[in-house]
Amino acid sequence: IRAKGPRRAMNRKTYRCILTIWLVGSQSCAHSQPARPTPPPAAAGVVAPGSGGELAPGAPATDPALAHEPKLLPPMGGQAGEPVQNFMLEHFQVATWARDAVIDGDIESLRGPLRALADYQYETVVPGGWMQGALQLQAAARLTAEANSLEAAASGVAAMARVCGQCHREQGRSLPLREVQVETQTPISDRIGSRMFRHAWAAARMWEGLMAPSDQSWRAGALALAHAPVNAPSSPKPLPQGFASTLGELRDLGLQASTAESVDERARVYGKTIATCAQCHVRITKR
């Protein structure tokens, strides 16, 4: 199924980075996946927000791995006895697709993949200690699929990441992430593309912080937002009304995230963060 609407260009690099980390940190997850290009090294795509990296808004996506909506595939050959943890990559892809849909302000495109995850029958798999987490993820996916607002969808996506992270921790399988350093000096001025890159970088680290889970990644993302500039950046086109106030809201959320200790509080702040991003993106699209 070809994805409808504009591609998720703003999150392409961060998606590829997290997917690479997941592939490196997982075992036997590729049984039901279509052929993909060889992933880059684990550190590729992890670029500090002050290092000059920039995402161009509206740029077309070219990564074949992002060309189709994710969907859960049956166990290899339909055979019984597949461990439920072999479905972790599919779970990750669906959750990440839903996250990017929210950030794009397009909640309609997340409904199908999330419903597929919520309704998937695991009768033939070996549950081990992972099944409780899978059932909790399905419940969160079902609620998120029926969200009627960006705020509700963002909260649901954050809950899915929280469930994944808690399950990884309980099973002693937290994903190993390379430590990232973040520049906390606030730039005096910058361009719109650089500003969006900083926001996307911060949101991706916070996502890792919930999903892996990783206190270090969470803090890096939170500090990047907390030190983000709130003055309006230079832009070749007029920015929508209220753009500067949105920048202030994101910075405030970064401050809240930097002091959030519990996973529930972090999920709440993360949901508000991507909902704020989405609302701004929708205003820009409708200009």
Side-chain angles (χ1 to χ4, degrees):
I1 302 174
R2 296 292 300 181
K4 298 180 181 179
R7 288 302 314 142
R8 318 243 183 272
M10 186 63 69
N11 293 298
R12 185 177 64 210
K13 290 183 180 178
T14 54
Y15 177 97
R16 185 183 296 122
C17 166
I18 302 171
L19 178 58
T20 300
I21 292 170
W22 180 276
L23 288 169
V24 171
S26 301
Q27 299 177 0
S28 65
C29 285
H31 69 286
S32 59
Q33 296 305 303
R36 291 190 179 84
T38 301
V46 181
V47 183
S51 62
E54 184 167 321
L55 298 181
T62 57
D63 190 339
L66 302 182
H68 301 277
E69 286 188 1
K71 58 182 179 180
L72 290 177
L73 301 177
M76 188 189 311
Q79 299 177 0
E82 186 85 10
V84 69
Q85 57 265 38
N86 282 15
F87 287 78
M88 296 299 108
L89 180 56
E90 284 97 336
H91 296 170
F92 172 78
Q93 289 180 307
V94 172
T96 303
W97 175 275
R99 178 204 66 183
D100 289 354
V102 168
I103 292 175
D104 280 355
D106 176 21
I107 60 176
E108 290 304 315
S109 67
L110 62 72
R111 301 192 193 280
L114 288 185
R115 285 169 179 157
L117 171 57
D119 296 336
Y120 195 82
Q121 302 297 312
Y122 289 100
E123 291 93 342
T124 63
V125 306
V126 177
W130 296 84
M131 186 57 76
Q132 184 61 35
L135 294 176
Q136 292 175 350
L137 180 62
Q138 285 185 296
R142 184 171 291 107
L143 287 174
T144 308
E146 304 307 320
N148 56 12
S149 68
L150 281 171
E151 293 82 0
S155 178
V157 166
M160 292 174 65
R162 173 183 56 77
V163 167
C164 289
Q166 287 179 314
C167 185
H168 298 158
R169 189 180 298 250
E170 290 169 0
Q171 297 303 315
R173 291 286 296 276
S174 296
L175 303 184
L177 302 179
R178 177 173 296 182
E179 183 171 339
V180 291
Q181 295 181 351
V182 58
E183 181 182 333
T184 57
Q185 292 183 352
T186 303
I188 298 176
S189 63
D190 51 13
R191 295 172 295 171
I192 182 66
S194 298
R195 189 72 60 87
M196 294 302 101
F197 180 87
R198 186 186 188 100
H199 296 167
W201 188 94
R205 303 291 79 74
M206 292 166 70
W207 172 259
E208 291 173 354
L210 283 174
M211 176 81 71
S214 167
D215 289 337
Q216 200 278 331
S217 288
W218 175 267
R219 183 168 176 77
L223 289 175
L225 275 189
H227 289 274
V230 295
N231 58 301
S234 60
S235 173
K237 296 182 180 180
L239 296 170
Q241 186 175 5
F243 187 85
S245 63
T246 301
L247 297 177
E249 292 173 14
L250 280 175
R251 184 166 181 166
D252 288 343
L253 287 167
L255 291 171
Q256 294 178 37
S258 66
T259 59
E261 296 294 338
S262 72
V263 291
D264 289 338
E265 180 64 10
R266 289 182 176 184
R268 184 190 68 80
V269 176
Y270 179 76
K272 287 188 174 183
T273 299
I274 61 174
T276 302
C277 293
Q279 291 161 359
C280 188
H281 296 164
V282 169
R283 291 202 301 271
I284 291 176
T285 302
K286 290 182 177 179
R287 280 186 301 169

